Amino acid sequence: MAGEFNWRTLWRTALLQGCPFISSCNEEHGTKEEHIIEQCTRLALWKDGRLQRSLETLICSTAVSRKSDEKAEQLRLEGNKFFQKKLYQKAVRYYSKAILHASQTTGCNQSTSQLSLAFANRSAALYYIQKWKLAVDDVDRALKYGYPLQQKYKILIRKGECLRNQGCMQDATIALKLALDSLSESTLTTAEIKVKSEKIANLLRSCSSESVREEKATASSCGFDPHPSIANASRQISLQYSTEKGRYLVAETVIQAGDVIISEKPFAVVLLPDHYDTHCHYCCDRALAPVMCSHCIHVQYCSEVCKDAAWEDYHEVECPMWEVLQEIDSLGHLGVRIILSAGIHKETMISSFSKSLPTTSNGIPGCRADGIYQADYGAVYSLQTHIDNQTQENLFQASMTGLLLSICIHIRLGKDNSVHWDALCNDTEVCALAGLISRHILQLRCNVHAITAVHPQGHADDPGRKVETTEQVRVASAVYPTVSLMNHGCDPNVIASFNGSDVTIRATRNIKNGEEICHSYGPHKNHMPVAERLRKLKEQYFFDCTCSACHMTEKEPSDWSMFKCSNCDQPATLLDSDLVCTNQQCLHKESAKEKLMLKEKADNLFQEGVRCCDKEDVEKSLQLLQQSLHIHEMVLFKHHRTIAEVRDCIARCYALQGDFIQSAEHLEVSIKIITEIYGRESIEHAQELQKLTQILFNGKQIKKAKRAITQALPLLSRYYGNQHESVQELLEMQACLLSL
């Protein structure tokens, strides 16, 4: 990044120098966003020579790729060291970095040989971790980019073995025969050729003798009867509108728990920086053996299909702008990607584009003239900006970022490298595009969706690791026009699950005919007290929640957040500086000071124990966690959520030591608390049962593992569907246990 360019510093400096306040504007002459943009163009910032030079250098430079075969070779040789130590996962990561940096032009020269060697080396590492299909793909890429003819037989043998292991006998036979033919081009001695020929002959015989395995069919259906006028939605729901609620969805018939209501691909999605090296930048799936952009060293994809689609949709424009995009936040990046994915930047008259969007016949914003909600750009454009509720700083940041990105796009699409800054900042089309980008940034503050995935903690190829634990992490941000039709509920009746960036919305319980479909925007009755939920929803989404969970007759706090009464061990609530027992036969009152101090001490011990556990300093972690548990159980009610969390972490420590019996015992106590808090049918209970199953399976506690799987499978299938990786993992464990 050019040292002079720091966008956050630049726009905040401009803000301090004088933010243009929103004056009244006549929307016949433009949107509010465009009106603010017009005021922002007058700022002295855009005449700053340092900013101009930085952007011109970054965007107009012809040396966009920054590929380096020298660096690629260094990374590949580093990968070879891990390969020799049989640390194949680490070897794959270094070979992938080598591929990222290697020049990607076809032919048989020195540049392409680095790329081909890296693909060939990675195919070997993938072979040893039994990723047969990925290894075959890498062999094909190595051949495409000019792998040396003298060594061609080696990777063709590897390809044949991988295809045979997949059960693809016909393709394996073709690859092995090519390997046999390639021996004549090798530098092997006659004796060595004879040995290799015998190996290939044995493999060919095994291909003809083994039965062909059938590929598992993958479900292509969306899982429901599609709605005729709501894209990506089930016929079981309908779209309605009121001035109080805005757009919302209701059940048109009785919806059963587990039924799919919405299945949608994102209109636009942006991967978060922490996952640039592990996930596909287009579909957000894990990319164990990624392919790279042919021009830059910044992005990777799980396949050539995603790579080509990304280039077509947006990356051709983004590629030289990448370093600028990294200076803005993910909402700004997603805002411009909406524009690029929709092709708005290609419009000849952007300034009149918003006025050309069709007016719906049914009065519901986002629907087409024929009343159909197509989940297209018009639907995205119709999402609420809450512009009148946004802070002055948010409005200024969105407007300035929109203007910056619009200028960058116009520079990128310019026919020459000469940039006329005065003309750009006052160009009607530049300002119109900036207005659209800033509109989307404001919309995303309330309409962005987090894409989550289950991730392993630690490295699978760590030889000292006894067990692999997992966690749910946020990997990307996306906008889903149909999912955005649902209103919030603190006690939602649906849940979202993700397959890469594709989202599926399922009913978590039976939904009555006429009942509103609600999902959680984040604040949930099982995880947050009423007052905190109401505050967060008002601050971020600008509404007062009126859901049933926020207007119960008996208000919180719940048992899971209470202290323990010193007199009867029942829940005690904190009132001012005292703890008052909620048991009507007791009503004991005591000072809260000592228990609050003890809880703070226990919380600190817990946090330190978690840090030690993350570093796999297990002995120290267990000491700290046991102390924390002892104090927490002294002062907190037995069903307090913190006690479950401490026992859960203790279970993880014992699992890391290989003591699965002790691990299971603590996890079973944690599950009892989770069941009391969330209920036996909850997703939280299902996730803990899945964790327990893994521990029992690793500990060879067969009967208990079978029971845990029997309990977990129906719940996880309801929430995630039968094809979800969590369900598939349980089914594999169940099949293994049944065979014992």
PDB file of all heavy atoms in Angstrom, residues 378-405:
ATOM      1  N   GLY A 378     -33.225  -4.318  -7.971  1.00  0.00           N
ATOM      2  CA  GLY A 378     -34.322  -3.457  -7.508  1.00  0.00           C
ATOM      3  C   GLY A 378     -34.723  -3.787  -6.084  1.00  0.00           C
ATOM      4  O   GLY A 378     -35.051  -2.901  -5.292  1.00  0.00           O
ATOM      5  N   ALA A 379     -34.674  -5.089  -5.723  1.00  0.00           N
ATOM      6  CA  ALA A 379     -35.005  -5.503  -4.358  1.00  0.00           C
ATOM      7  C   ALA A 379     -33.944  -5.020  -3.378  1.00  0.00           C
ATOM      8  O   ALA A 379     -34.264  -4.565  -2.266  1.00  0.00           O
ATOM      9  CB  ALA A 379     -35.132  -7.021  -4.294  1.00  0.00           C
ATOM     10  N   VAL A 380     -32.672  -5.091  -3.789  1.00  0.00           N
ATOM     11  CA  VAL A 380     -31.589  -4.605  -2.927  1.00  0.00           C
ATOM     12  C   VAL A 380     -31.703  -3.092  -2.754  1.00  0.00           C
ATOM     13  O   VAL A 380     -31.574  -2.566  -1.643  1.00  0.00           O
ATOM     14  CB  VAL A 380     -30.212  -4.979  -3.517  1.00  0.00           C
ATOM     15  CG1 VAL A 380     -29.090  -4.375  -2.678  1.00  0.00           C
ATOM     16  CG2 VAL A 380     -30.052  -6.493  -3.591  1.00  0.00           C
ATOM     17  N   TYR A 381     -31.966  -2.391  -3.846  1.00  0.00           N
ATOM     18  CA  TYR A 381     -32.090  -0.934  -3.797  1.00  0.00           C
ATOM     19  C   TYR A 381     -33.200  -0.496  -2.832  1.00  0.00           C
ATOM     20  O   TYR A 381     -33.093   0.560  -2.193  1.00  0.00           O
ATOM     21  CB  TYR A 381     -32.379  -0.392  -5.196  1.00  0.00           C
ATOM     22  CG  TYR A 381     -32.439   1.115  -5.275  1.00  0.00           C
ATOM     23  CD1 TYR A 381     -31.278   1.861  -5.491  1.00  0.00           C
ATOM     24  CD2 TYR A 381     -33.643   1.798  -5.129  1.00  0.00           C
ATOM     25  CE1 TYR A 381     -31.322   3.239  -5.555  1.00  0.00           C
ATOM     26  CE2 TYR A 381     -33.698   3.182  -5.192  1.00  0.00           C
ATOM     27  CZ  TYR A 381     -32.541   3.903  -5.395  1.00  0.00           C
ATOM     28  OH  TYR A 381     -32.581   5.279  -5.449  1.00  0.00           O
ATOM     29  N   SER A 382     -34.228  -1.318  -2.704  1.00  0.00           N
ATOM     30  CA  SER A 382     -35.381  -0.946  -1.879  1.00  0.00           C
ATOM     31  C   SER A 382     -35.163  -1.180  -0.386  1.00  0.00           C
ATOM     32  O   SER A 382     -36.004  -0.796   0.433  1.00  0.00           O
ATOM     33  CB  SER A 382     -36.620  -1.735  -2.325  1.00  0.00           C
ATOM     34  OG  SER A 382     -36.487  -3.102  -1.959  1.00  0.00           O
ATOM     35  N   LEU A 383     -34.067  -1.832  -0.003  1.00  0.00           N
ATOM     36  CA  LEU A 383     -33.816  -2.059   1.418  1.00  0.00           C
ATOM     37  C   LEU A 383     -33.702  -0.723   2.153  1.00  0.00           C
ATOM     38  O   LEU A 383     -33.225   0.267   1.602  1.00  0.00           O
ATOM     39  CB  LEU A 383     -32.521  -2.862   1.607  1.00  0.00           C
ATOM     40  CG  LEU A 383     -32.529  -4.305   1.083  1.00  0.00           C
ATOM     41  CD1 LEU A 383     -31.125  -4.901   1.169  1.00  0.00           C
ATOM     42  CD2 LEU A 383     -33.524  -5.163   1.854  1.00  0.00           C
ATOM     43  N   GLN A 384     -34.120  -0.711   3.421  1.00  0.00           N
ATOM     44  CA  GLN A 384     -34.127   0.524   4.207  1.00  0.00           C
ATOM     45  C   GLN A 384     -32.714   1.041   4.471  1.00  0.00           C
ATOM     46  O   GLN A 384     -31.812   0.282   4.820  1.00  0.00           O
ATOM     47  CB  GLN A 384     -34.817   0.275   5.554  1.00  0.00           C
ATOM     48  CG  GLN A 384     -36.328   0.147   5.466  1.00  0.00           C
ATOM     49  CD  GLN A 384     -36.996   1.481   5.155  1.00  0.00           C
ATOM     50  OE1 GLN A 384     -36.553   2.526   5.617  1.00  0.00           O
ATOM     51  NE2 GLN A 384     -38.052   1.436   4.374  1.00  0.00           N
ATOM     52  N   THR A 385     -32.513   2.342   4.298  1.00  0.00           N
ATOM     53  CA  THR A 385     -31.226   2.970   4.646  1.00  0.00           C
ATOM     54  C   THR A 385     -31.266   3.573   6.045  1.00  0.00           C
ATOM     55  O   THR A 385     -30.216   3.767   6.661  1.00  0.00           O
ATOM     56  CB  THR A 385     -30.883   4.110   3.672  1.00  0.00           C
ATOM     57  OG1 THR A 385     -31.894   5.136   3.779  1.00  0.00           O
ATOM     58  CG2 THR A 385     -30.803   3.606   2.241  1.00  0.00           C
ATOM     59  N   HIS A 386     -32.474   3.889   6.538  1.00  0.00           N
ATOM     60  CA  HIS A 386     -32.636   4.593   7.820  1.00  0.00           C
ATOM     61  C   HIS A 386     -31.776   5.856   7.833  1.00  0.00           C
ATOM     62  O   HIS A 386     -31.168   6.205   8.850  1.00  0.00           O
ATOM     63  CB  HIS A 386     -32.270   3.681   9.000  1.00  0.00           C
ATOM     64  CG  HIS A 386     -33.207   2.522   9.168  1.00  0.00           C
ATOM     65  ND1 HIS A 386     -34.477   2.658   9.683  1.00  0.00           N
ATOM     66  CD2 HIS A 386     -33.045   1.207   8.860  1.00  0.00           C
ATOM     67  CE1 HIS A 386     -35.070   1.468   9.705  1.00  0.00           C
ATOM     68  NE2 HIS A 386     -34.232   0.572   9.206  1.00  0.00           N
ATOM     69  N   ILE A 387     -31.762   6.541   6.716  1.00  0.00           N
ATOM     70  CA  ILE A 387     -30.878   7.693   6.573  1.00  0.00           C
ATOM     71  C   ILE A 387     -31.189   8.797   7.585  1.00  0.00           C
ATOM     72  O   ILE A 387     -30.287   9.506   8.048  1.00  0.00           O
ATOM     73  CB  ILE A 387     -30.944   8.245   5.125  1.00  0.00           C
ATOM     74  CG1 ILE A 387     -29.815   9.237   4.886  1.00  0.00           C
ATOM     75  CG2 ILE A 387     -32.313   8.838   4.807  1.00  0.00           C
ATOM     76  CD1 ILE A 387     -29.615   9.601   3.426  1.00  0.00           C
ATOM     77  N   ASP A 388     -32.450   8.901   7.995  1.00  0.00           N
ATOM     78  CA  ASP A 388     -32.821   9.948   8.950  1.00  0.00           C
ATOM     79  C   ASP A 388     -32.419   9.594  10.377  1.00  0.00           C
ATOM     80  O   ASP A 388     -32.448  10.453  11.270  1.00  0.00           O
ATOM     81  CB  ASP A 388     -34.331  10.207   8.895  1.00  0.00           C
ATOM     82  CG  ASP A 388     -34.751  10.793   7.558  1.00  0.00           C
ATOM     83  OD1 ASP A 388     -33.948  11.546   6.975  1.00  0.00           O
ATOM     84  OD2 ASP A 388     -35.863  10.471   7.081  1.00  0.00           O
ATOM     85  N   ASN A 389     -32.062   8.315  10.610  1.00  0.00           N
ATOM     86  CA  ASN A 389     -31.664   7.876  11.949  1.00  0.00           C
ATOM     87  C   ASN A 389     -30.149   7.701  12.093  1.00  0.00           C
ATOM     88  O   ASN A 389     -29.649   7.516  13.199  1.00  0.00           O
ATOM     89  CB  ASN A 389     -32.337   6.540  12.293  1.00  0.00           C
ATOM     90  CG  ASN A 389     -33.845   6.654  12.377  1.00  0.00           C
ATOM     91  OD1 ASN A 389     -34.369   7.558  13.018  1.00  0.00           O
ATOM     92  ND2 ASN A 389     -34.558   5.759  11.724  1.00  0.00           N
ATOM     93  N   GLN A 390     -29.440   7.740  10.971  1.00  0.00           N
ATOM     94  CA  GLN A 390     -27.997   7.505  11.015  1.00  0.00           C
ATOM     95  C   GLN A 390     -27.280   8.692  11.656  1.00  0.00           C
ATOM     96  O   GLN A 390     -27.709   9.834  11.543  1.00  0.00           O
ATOM     97  CB  GLN A 390     -27.458   7.306   9.587  1.00  0.00           C
ATOM     98  CG  GLN A 390     -28.040   6.124   8.849  1.00  0.00           C
ATOM     99  CD  GLN A 390     -27.379   4.813   9.237  1.00  0.00           C
ATOM    100  OE1 GLN A 390     -26.448   4.779  10.036  1.00  0.00           O
ATOM    101  NE2 GLN A 390     -27.862   3.727   8.654  1.00  0.00           N
ATOM    102  N   THR A 391     -26.169   8.401  12.313  1.00  0.00           N
ATOM    103  CA  THR A 391     -25.377   9.473  12.913  1.00  0.00           C
ATOM    104  C   THR A 391     -24.708  10.290  11.815  1.00  0.00           C
ATOM    105  O   THR A 391     -24.512   9.813  10.695  1.00  0.00           O
ATOM    106  CB  THR A 391     -24.285   8.907  13.840  1.00  0.00           C
ATOM    107  OG1 THR A 391     -23.349   8.159  13.054  1.00  0.00           O
ATOM    108  CG2 THR A 391     -24.881   8.003  14.909  1.00  0.00           C
ATOM    109  N   GLN A 392     -24.358  11.510  12.161  1.00  0.00           N
ATOM    110  CA  GLN A 392     -23.669  12.380  11.208  1.00  0.00           C
ATOM    111  C   GLN A 392     -22.365  11.730  10.729  1.00  0.00           C
ATOM    112  O   GLN A 392     -22.009  11.809   9.549  1.00  0.00           O
ATOM    113  CB  GLN A 392     -23.374  13.725  11.882  1.00  0.00           C
ATOM    114  CG  GLN A 392     -23.011  14.841  10.923  1.00  0.00           C
ATOM    115  CD  GLN A 392     -24.230  15.356  10.172  1.00  0.00           C
ATOM    116  OE1 GLN A 392     -25.329  15.294  10.696  1.00  0.00           O
ATOM    117  NE2 GLN A 392     -24.032  15.849   8.975  1.00  0.00           N
ATOM    118  N   GLU A 393     -21.664  11.080  11.652  1.00  0.00           N
ATOM    119  CA  GLU A 393     -20.391  10.447  11.293  1.00  0.00           C
ATOM    120  C   GLU A 393     -20.605   9.295  10.314  1.00  0.00           C
ATOM    121  O   GLU A 393     -19.851   9.138   9.346  1.00  0.00           O
ATOM    122  CB  GLU A 393     -19.675   9.938  12.547  1.00  0.00           C
ATOM    123  CG  GLU A 393     -18.317   9.324  12.252  1.00  0.00           C
ATOM    124  CD  GLU A 393     -17.543   8.983  13.515  1.00  0.00           C
ATOM    125  OE1 GLU A 393     -17.586   9.776  14.476  1.00  0.00           O
ATOM    126  OE2 GLU A 393     -16.894   7.920  13.541  1.00  0.00           O
ATOM    127  N   ASN A 394     -21.632   8.470  10.551  1.00  0.00           N
ATOM    128  CA  ASN A 394     -21.914   7.352   9.646  1.00  0.00           C
ATOM    129  C   ASN A 394     -22.285   7.842   8.246  1.00  0.00           C
ATOM    130  O   ASN A 394     -21.864   7.269   7.238  1.00  0.00           O
ATOM    131  CB  ASN A 394     -23.038   6.483  10.199  1.00  0.00           C
ATOM    132  CG  ASN A 394     -22.567   5.578  11.316  1.00  0.00           C
ATOM    133  OD1 ASN A 394     -21.365   5.428  11.542  1.00  0.00           O
ATOM    134  ND2 ASN A 394     -23.501   4.974  12.033  1.00  0.00           N
ATOM    135  N   LEU A 395     -23.095   8.901   8.204  1.00  0.00           N
ATOM    136  CA  LEU A 395     -23.483   9.467   6.915  1.00  0.00           C
ATOM    137  C   LEU A 395     -22.262  10.003   6.162  1.00  0.00           C
ATOM    138  O   LEU A 395     -22.109   9.782   4.960  1.00  0.00           O
ATOM    139  CB  LEU A 395     -24.498  10.599   7.111  1.00  0.00           C
ATOM    140  CG  LEU A 395     -25.921  10.195   7.508  1.00  0.00           C
ATOM    141  CD1 LEU A 395     -26.733  11.437   7.837  1.00  0.00           C
ATOM    142  CD2 LEU A 395     -26.579   9.418   6.379  1.00  0.00           C
ATOM    143  N   PHE A 396     -21.400  10.685   6.888  1.00  0.00           N
ATOM    144  CA  PHE A 396     -20.211  11.265   6.267  1.00  0.00           C
ATOM    145  C   PHE A 396     -19.272  10.167   5.761  1.00  0.00           C
ATOM    146  O   PHE A 396     -18.765  10.226   4.632  1.00  0.00           O
ATOM    147  CB  PHE A 396     -19.490  12.160   7.276  1.00  0.00           C
ATOM    148  CG  PHE A 396     -18.323  12.914   6.697  1.00  0.00           C
ATOM    149  CD1 PHE A 396     -18.523  13.911   5.758  1.00  0.00           C
ATOM    150  CD2 PHE A 396     -17.030  12.622   7.087  1.00  0.00           C
ATOM    151  CE1 PHE A 396     -17.448  14.610   5.215  1.00  0.00           C
ATOM    152  CE2 PHE A 396     -15.953  13.313   6.554  1.00  0.00           C
ATOM    153  CZ  PHE A 396     -16.162  14.312   5.616  1.00  0.00           C
ATOM    154  N   GLN A 397     -19.045   9.147   6.598  1.00  0.00           N
ATOM    155  CA  GLN A 397     -18.157   8.057   6.194  1.00  0.00           C
ATOM    156  C   GLN A 397     -18.693   7.333   4.961  1.00  0.00           C
ATOM    157  O   GLN A 397     -17.950   7.061   4.013  1.00  0.00           O
ATOM    158  CB  GLN A 397     -17.982   7.052   7.336  1.00  0.00           C
ATOM    159  CG  GLN A 397     -17.039   5.907   6.962  1.00  0.00           C
ATOM    160  CD  GLN A 397     -16.973   4.822   8.025  1.00  0.00           C
ATOM    161  OE1 GLN A 397     -17.718   4.842   8.995  1.00  0.00           O
ATOM    162  NE2 GLN A 397     -16.088   3.860   7.843  1.00  0.00           N
ATOM    163  N   ALA A 398     -19.998   7.032   4.969  1.00  0.00           N
ATOM    164  CA  ALA A 398     -20.599   6.334   3.828  1.00  0.00           C
ATOM    165  C   ALA A 398     -20.492   7.174   2.555  1.00  0.00           C
ATOM    166  O   ALA A 398     -20.191   6.648   1.476  1.00  0.00           O
ATOM    167  CB  ALA A 398     -22.063   6.004   4.128  1.00  0.00           C
ATOM    168  N   SER A 399     -20.731   8.460   2.677  1.00  0.00           N
ATOM    169  CA  SER A 399     -20.694   9.345   1.510  1.00  0.00           C
ATOM    170  C   SER A 399     -19.282   9.502   0.967  1.00  0.00           C
ATOM    171  O   SER A 399     -19.052   9.418  -0.248  1.00  0.00           O
ATOM    172  CB  SER A 399     -21.269  10.715   1.873  1.00  0.00           C
ATOM    173  OG  SER A 399     -22.604  10.593   2.329  1.00  0.00           O
ATOM    174  N   MET A 400     -18.334   9.713   1.861  1.00  0.00           N
ATOM    175  CA  MET A 400     -16.949   9.880   1.429  1.00  0.00           C
ATOM    176  C   MET A 400     -16.395   8.579   0.833  1.00  0.00           C
ATOM    177  O   MET A 400     -15.675   8.598  -0.166  1.00  0.00           O
ATOM    178  CB  MET A 400     -16.085  10.326   2.606  1.00  0.00           C
ATOM    179  CG  MET A 400     -16.413  11.730   3.099  1.00  0.00           C
ATOM    180  SD  MET A 400     -15.974  13.021   1.899  1.00  0.00           S
ATOM    181  CE  MET A 400     -14.207  13.073   2.115  1.00  0.00           C
ATOM    182  N   THR A 401     -16.745   7.463   1.448  1.00  0.00           N
ATOM    183  CA  THR A 401     -16.290   6.170   0.921  1.00  0.00           C
ATOM    184  C   THR A 401     -16.923   5.895  -0.435  1.00  0.00           C
ATOM    185  O   THR A 401     -16.261   5.401  -1.353  1.00  0.00           O
ATOM    186  CB  THR A 401     -16.628   5.037   1.914  1.00  0.00           C
ATOM    187  OG1 THR A 401     -15.989   5.297   3.167  1.00  0.00           O
ATOM    188  CG2 THR A 401     -16.162   3.693   1.385  1.00  0.00           C
ATOM    189  N   GLY A 402     -18.202   6.227  -0.571  1.00  0.00           N
ATOM    190  CA  GLY A 402     -18.870   6.071  -1.858  1.00  0.00           C
ATOM    191  C   GLY A 402     -18.213   6.899  -2.942  1.00  0.00           C
ATOM    192  O   GLY A 402     -18.011   6.434  -4.073  1.00  0.00           O
ATOM    193  N   LEU A 403     -17.843   8.123  -2.593  1.00  0.00           N
ATOM    194  CA  LEU A 403     -17.194   9.011  -3.562  1.00  0.00           C
ATOM    195  C   LEU A 403     -15.801   8.490  -3.932  1.00  0.00           C
ATOM    196  O   LEU A 403     -15.414   8.482  -5.114  1.00  0.00           O
ATOM    197  CB  LEU A 403     -17.099  10.425  -2.973  1.00  0.00           C
ATOM    198  CG  LEU A 403     -16.721  11.565  -3.923  1.00  0.00           C
ATOM    199  CD1 LEU A 403     -17.603  11.587  -5.158  1.00  0.00           C
ATOM    200  CD2 LEU A 403     -16.806  12.900  -3.185  1.00  0.00           C
ATOM    201  N   LEU A 404     -15.051   8.036  -2.931  1.00  0.00           N
ATOM    202  CA  LEU A 404     -13.724   7.467  -3.185  1.00  0.00           C
ATOM    203  C   LEU A 404     -13.820   6.285  -4.153  1.00  0.00           C
ATOM    204  O   LEU A 404     -13.085   6.207  -5.145  1.00  0.00           O
ATOM    205  CB  LEU A 404     -13.090   7.009  -1.875  1.00  0.00           C
ATOM    206  CG  LEU A 404     -11.803   6.183  -2.015  1.00  0.00           C
ATOM    207  CD1 LEU A 404     -10.624   7.079  -2.349  1.00  0.00           C
ATOM    208  CD2 LEU A 404     -11.526   5.388  -0.740  1.00  0.00           C
ATOM    209  N   LEU A 405     -14.736   5.354  -3.867  1.00  0.00           N
ATOM    210  CA  LEU A 405     -14.844   4.140  -4.685  1.00  0.00           C
ATOM    211  C   LEU A 405     -15.367   4.452  -6.083  1.00  0.00           C
ATOM    212  O   LEU A 405     -14.953   3.816  -7.059  1.00  0.00           O
ATOM    213  CB  LEU A 405     -15.746   3.125  -3.981  1.00  0.00           C
ATOM    214  CG  LEU A 405     -15.176   2.564  -2.669  1.00  0.00           C
ATOM    215  CD1 LEU A 405     -16.207   1.720  -1.942  1.00  0.00           C
ATOM    216  CD2 LEU A 405     -13.916   1.758  -2.926  1.00  0.00           C
TER     217      LEU A 405
END
